[in-house]
Structure formats: structure tokens, C-alpha cells
Amino acid sequence: MTDLGELGLSSYEEKVYRTLLVTGAATATDVSDASGVPKGRIYDVLNSLKSRQLVHTQAVDPTRYVAEQPSTVVDRLLAERTAELQQEWARYRDVANSVRSNLLPTLPADGSIWLGTLGSEEMQTALEEHTRTATHSVHATVGPPYESAPWKPLKQEVNAFFDGAQPDVSVSLLVSEQVLETVPETLFDVPEEHAAEVRIRVLPEIPVSFDVIDQTITTIDIPHPQMSADRIGVVAVNDSNVVDEFERQFQELWDEGVPLPE
């Protein structure tokens, strides 16, 4: 395909236009003879070029056709192609939106699942190792299933949580009022050697328990399908979009929380 063909001229249109550049003003018959475009097609081709403002006519008898300046023709052809491509882009965008709406909203996030009931040895070990990965911050909410559970499993997991915390890590805990009502007041008393800073705030209600480590990984408790006082496990996610969303949610909840009375 020629360059003019790339810009949208048919082979006949290109032949006629190039012929007119050489001949100057010419009748349709002259253009047909000089270009080799059949007489049965010459008027269709000339009229097409005229409608696109690539040639113009002189008011004489017989009508003569004149080619527009090449720079003008190239600009007009480029404008046509640009408009066509914009229309194609809009069409493909609509198709993509339609396809997207019929598929899953996002791909599954990178992560893993730790199976383990509340206070179990495997969950204590997993929780301690998880907290140990923190290098500067741990943000955590404490709500269900701890609200309905005996305080002993909660104590075991709180101990495992802080056993894993490094001395230079800052820990921020959001605890629901219902949790505080069902556990000893000393449950969240934390020795100074466990973390550089431990802040605790209270909210009337926390819908789900989760944590965010160093703003790079989050874990979310999976409620047990049959027992409100237990969990079936914890899902750990390191997809940055998911982690950022949970960190944002934590900060909003934190702003609403009230500091735990000393």
C-alpha cells in the first residue's frame, strides 16, 4: 500500500489525484485517458475527491478539475484518519467496558490462607511469625470472633501477637467495646520490651478483625460458618491495592476511635 493509500485514498483516487498534479486543470475525459481510470468510474472518483475537498472544479464548459495543493491534501487526509481512529478507539473502549462488566471485577489477589481456630497452637505460631515480619508498624483491629469467644483464646493470641513484635515496631490496636467487656482489664497491658510504642483505641463496633503489617501485607479473619465465637482461618493478602484499601479503612476507623483509658 502506498503512503496516500495509508492515509485513505483508493488506488483510483490516488491515480486521479496524481494525474491532476501533472496535468493541471483537466476534464473528466482527459483525466480518464491520462490516469487509466475507466470512463465508467471516473466521475465517481472525481466526485469523491471533490466531496473530500481534495480537488475543486472550475466553472467552465466542460467542467475542469483541479488538484488542491499537496500540503492541504495531506492535512485533510490526516484529519480524516484521525477522526476515524478516534471513532474506532471509542468503539473499542465501549467493547472493553462491556466485556469487563461481564467478567470478574478483578483478578484474584496474591495471598494465602492459614487455617486455624481461635487460640489454636498453629494459629498462635502463625500469628507470632506474621507479627515478627513487621519492621516499623502493625495496625490491627480486634472485633469478631473475639467478642463472643472465651477470653483465654484471645489472651493466647494477644500474647503470640506481642511475642512476635520487634522492640522498634509501633503497634496500633483498635478494640471493640464488646471485646473489652468480656476480657480482663489487664489483657492489653503490654510490657515495654514488646514494642517501641503501643497505642490502643476503642470503637463501639468493629465489623471484621484484620491487621496491616508495614502497609505491605494484610490479614483478615474468616468467620466460622457455624460458630460465631470462632474463625475458620485467616487470609493473608499482599496485593498492593488490597493492602492500601485496608490501610485506608484502618485510618478512618482509627480517627473515630477513643483512646483506651489508662
Side-chain angles (χ1 to χ4, degrees), residues 73-234:
V73 167
V74 170
D75 287 343
R76 287 173 179 168
L77 289 174
L78 181 59
E80 286 182 2
R81 295 297 283 170
T82 300
E84 291 171 0
L85 290 173
Q86 289 174 339
Q87 291 175 356
E88 279 292 282
W89 161 244
R91 186 177 71 83
Y92 281 121
R93 183 180 57 198
D94 291 341
V95 171
N97 289 336
S98 176
V99 171
R100 188 181 294 112
S101 67
N102 292 319
L103 298 176
L104 292 174
T106 56
L107 293 175
D110 294 334
S112 58
I113 295 178
W114 306 334
L115 295 177
T117 58
L118 196 67
S120 63
E121 290 186 8
E122 61 267 28
M123 189 54 67
Q124 290 180 58
T125 301
L127 187 58
E128 183 175 343
E129 292 300 318
H130 174 58
T131 310
R132 185 169 284 118
T133 64
T135 59
H136 61 83
S137 68
V138 179
H139 298 158
T141 65
V142 186
Y146 302 106
E147 296 171 339
S148 304
W151 72 267
K152 184 176 179 181
L154 175 56
K155 181 176 186 300
Q156 291 170 328
E157 293 204 357
V158 169
N159 290 341
F161 179 91
F162 283 107
D163 285 344
Q166 302 299 314
D168 55 349
V169 168
S170 172
V171 177
S172 300
L173 292 179
L174 272 170
V175 185
S176 73
E177 290 180 354
Q178 189 173 342
V179 168
L180 292 181
E181 291 172 358
T182 58
V183 301
E185 294 181 359
T186 58
L187 180 61
F188 293 101
D189 289 347
V190 182
E192 293 181 358
E193 65 268 17
H194 276 296
E197 179 186 34
V198 178
R199 301 180 300 165
I200 301 176
R201 291 189 179 184
V202 183
L203 280 174
E205 182 181 4
I206 295 177
V208 63
S209 295
F210 66 90
D211 68 33
V212 180
I213 301 291
D214 291 340
Q215 300 180 23
T216 59
I217 185 170
T218 184
T219 64
I220 308 103
D221 281 37
I222 305 173
H224 196 287
Q226 301 184 59
M227 293 178 285
S228 62
D230 204 353
R231 69 158 89 86
I232 199 170
V234 172

Side-chain angles (χ1 to χ4, degrees), residues 218-260:
T218 184
T219 64
I220 308 103
D221 281 37
I222 305 173
H224 196 287
Q226 301 184 59
M227 293 178 285
S228 62
D230 204 353
R231 69 158 89 86
I232 199 170
V234 172
V235 59
V237 182
N238 54 28
D239 180 276
S240 60
N241 292 326
V242 177
V243 176
D244 290 347
E245 178 61 20
F246 272 88
E247 173 65 17
R248 186 180 70 81
Q249 294 293 337
F250 179 87
Q251 294 300 333
E252 290 185 4
L253 292 171
W254 183 261
D255 291 341
E256 297 175 9
V258 177
L260 181 68

